[in-house]
Amino acid sequence: MATLRTRFAPSPTGFLHIGGARTALYNWAYTRRLGGSFVLRIEDTDRERSTAESEAAVLGGLEWLGIDWDEGPFRQSERAELYAAAIERLLAQDRAYRCVCTPDEIEARRQAVVATGGKWTYDGRCAEANHGPACGPHAVRLRVPREGKLGFDDGVFGPSGQEARELGDMVIRRTDGTPLYHLAGVVDDVAMGITHVIRGADHLNNTPFQLALYRALDATPPQFAHVPLIVGTDGRKLSKRRDPVSVQHFRDAGYLPDAMLNWLVRIGWSHGDQEIFSRDEIRALFDLSEVHRSSGQADPGKLDWLNQHYIKERPRDALVRELLPFLAAAGTPVEPSESLGFLVDLLRERSKTLVEMAERARFFAVADDAIAYDADAVRKHWKPAALAALKDLADELARCERWDLASIEAAFSNVLGRHEGLALGKLAQPVRIAVTGSAASPGIFETVFVLGRERARARIERALGALSAA
Ligand code: GLU
């Protein structure tokens, strides 16, 4: 059997859509399990809509997800000669012909057919006309068989296809000389030795005509597998306007690539009841036979759940590294440190995304004199009764011989011992406001610890000054 060869063939006309990312993932996983080559081909023949930024966004998205390819990226814009040669060959073999019908003429004939209740396919007017190269403006059409079925056994949908006569002779080269997507794609799939075409179900209807092209090119068609579309939880098709659909969006929103990969693989595929799939498990277990035929739902709640799982599991150093850009985006760049690692461990249990984690870690990253105090928290917790204790705590912290959780806890209890009737909560909340600006943070001892002696003390003193009138 020929070595397995798959491809992902995005059109670089926007961002990397989650549907495209999932198609790439399925191709990648399938190839990695069975061994073979995964080819990346950029289908940029539409020069008006294709852009270099979009190509960069697609490649960047794949790289971020960790979907690596073995060959490419090839660009169709650099392979025009191959398509032109294939079309010339088909013309020379009389498997294709020149068609001089203008769009207006075709439209008039189409309307006449439709008016009598018929279904239009090109009526073959130029099929036997033998137009030569000098016939003036012309398109090129493939001679599609008049009889028989252009059928195939789809890897997901099973026996599929269409009666050849329903297609008519379709255009493979436009009047402006550019090849149609079908022609370029099939010529490339043949030239690249692609054995399996795994792509979105929106291409299911394109396959019969492409089979006719394989036949005309004397090539063996690949195994096709069309994966179901992705819909929202309401069952509606995802809309670019309404739904977050770009991989970039999820990356910026603080999702981890592993969570994203796990989420994507499960939209339309399952393996028993398992929900969590590591990258290695995806590579080891993914199979087309378990891809569903019905549309897959993109459930944001599931993604949050998965992301939280992966945030909890992620090694500390990796998570710190991944958090840094989000802290920087919040306007407070910091360097990795032991303290930040400690904080990340405190926050990982309660953060659904890195954006959330960065918000909670912000107090650590900002300068001591840049803490902004939450007005509600101040109103509620900044009570005169606690202020003397707060000053006392600042001094007590300065006296701590060692800087660890036990010493900090002891410092608090020494202070409470000297301030009759003051409960820990009544002291902890003002301290929290002083050192973080808000009434919500991890445990107070941990919060003070992570800041370090000098910063904690400086913040308490600053708050005492700034909020004394409160
Ligand atoms: N360029 C096509 C698309 O982005 C893919 C074609 C194919 O996979 O055959 O939809």
Side-chain angles (χ1 to χ4, degrees), residues 7 9-11 41 43 181 189 197-199 202-203 210:
R7 83 318 192 260
S11 304
R41 180 171 81 225
E43 301 208 323
Y181 142 70
D189 283 338
V197 167
I198 303 169
R199 60 185 177 186
D202 47 335
H203 289 290
Q210 294 175 2

Side-chain angles (χ1 to χ4, degrees), residues 132-416:
C135 63
H138 63 272
V140 174
R141 292 182 182 272
L142 185 77
R143 285 188 201 282
V144 174
R146 296 280 177 270
E147 287 171 10
K149 187 164 183 179
L150 293 164
F152 60 103
D153 191 13
D154 190 81
V156 173
F157 287 88
S160 307
Q162 205 176 349
E163 291 302 323
R165 74 183 133 71
E166 292 173 6
L167 289 180
D169 295 342
M170 288 179 33
V171 172
I172 54 175
R173 187 174 77 194
R174 298 183 189 88
T175 311
D176 67 6
T178 56
L180 263 284
Y181 142 70
H182 297 286
L183 185 282
V186 170
V187 165
D188 274 343
D189 283 338
V190 172
M192 294 173 180
I194 300 303
T195 60
H196 290 67
V197 167
I198 303 169
R199 60 185 177 186
D202 47 335
H203 289 290
L204 203 47
N205 292 337
N206 290 332
T207 311
F209 179 62
Q210 294 175 2
L211 287 172
L213 268 166
Y214 280 96
R215 211 181 275 182
L217 294 166
D218 295 319
T220 312
Q223 166 76 51
F224 287 95
H226 289 87
V227 301
L229 297 184
I230 301 183
V231 295
T233 41
D234 55 3
R236 285 201 291 178
K237 192 170 177 285
L238 292 181
S239 120
K240 277 187 202 173
R241 261 186 315 112
R242 208 181 46 232
D243 306 297
V245 288
S246 84
V247 167
Q248 181 76 38
H249 162 88
F250 290 97
R251 169 175 155 176
D252 294 347
Y255 292 92
L256 297 180
D258 283 352
M260 198 67 195
L261 221 52
N262 194 153
W263 185 59
L264 288 173
V265 82
R266 285 283 289 105
I267 304 179
W269 173 78
S270 53
H271 184 72
D273 295 334
Q274 193 170 336
E275 289 286 355
I276 304 277
F277 291 89
S278 69
R279 189 174 292 268
D280 285 345
E281 280 175 312
I282 293 174
R283 292 167 60 131
L285 298 172
F286 177 79
D287 197 7
L288 291 168
S289 61
E290 291 170 321
V291 172
H292 310 160
R293 287 185 190 177
S294 51
S295 302
Q297 286 196 354
D299 179 351
K302 271 200 176 154
L303 178 58
D304 281 347
W305 179 77
L306 285 166
N307 206 44
Q308 197 149 24
H309 166 82
Y310 284 99
I311 284 179
K312 277 186 206 158
E313 301 272 297
R314 197 99 180 104
R316 183 200 258 213
D317 289 350
L319 202 50
V320 166
R321 206 171 46 244
E322 283 151 1
L323 182 67
L324 295 180
F326 290 90
L327 280 170
T332 50
V334 280
E335 296 290 317
S337 64
E338 264 301 299
S339 305
L340 185 56
F342 181 86
L343 180 60
V344 157
D345 281 343
L346 290 178
L347 296 177
R348 63 166 84 223
E349 289 292 328
R350 51 186 115 188
S351 305
K352 281 202 293 288
T353 65
L354 293 177
V355 167
E356 249 182 54
M357 189 181 267
E359 273 162 22
R360 297 206 164 107
R362 201 162 182 274
F363 79 90
F364 173 84
V366 295
D368 297 331
D369 57 4
I371 295 285
Y373 305 105
D374 178 84
D376 284 344
V378 170
R379 203 170 311 119
K380 202 154 162 224
H381 302 292
W382 195 263
K383 300 288 183 218
L387 300 190
L390 219 58
K391 173 83 190 87
D392 198 1
L393 182 73
D395 297 337
E396 186 75 29
L397 290 175
R399 281 195 296 273
C400 278
E401 262 170 43
R402 295 155 48 102
W403 190 253
D404 55 24
L405 289 175
S407 313
I408 293 166
E409 191 171 349
F412 270 78
S413 74
N414 290 344
V415 169
L416 290 175

Side-chain angles (χ1 to χ4, degrees), residues 3-8 24 27-41 59 62-63 66-74 192 194 283:
T3 321
L4 176 77
R5 291 178 62 82
T6 56
R7 83 318 192 260
F8 176 51
N27 274 286
W28 173 86
Y30 190 69
T31 316
R32 293 292 173 257
R33 178 167 69 83
L34 294 171
S37 282
F38 175 42
V39 179
L40 180 60
R41 180 171 81 225
L59 300 191
L62 293 176
E63 277 161 14
I67 298 177
D68 57 338
W69 54 92
D70 305 304
E71 294 171 36
F74 299 105
M192 294 173 180
I194 300 303
R283 292 167 60 131

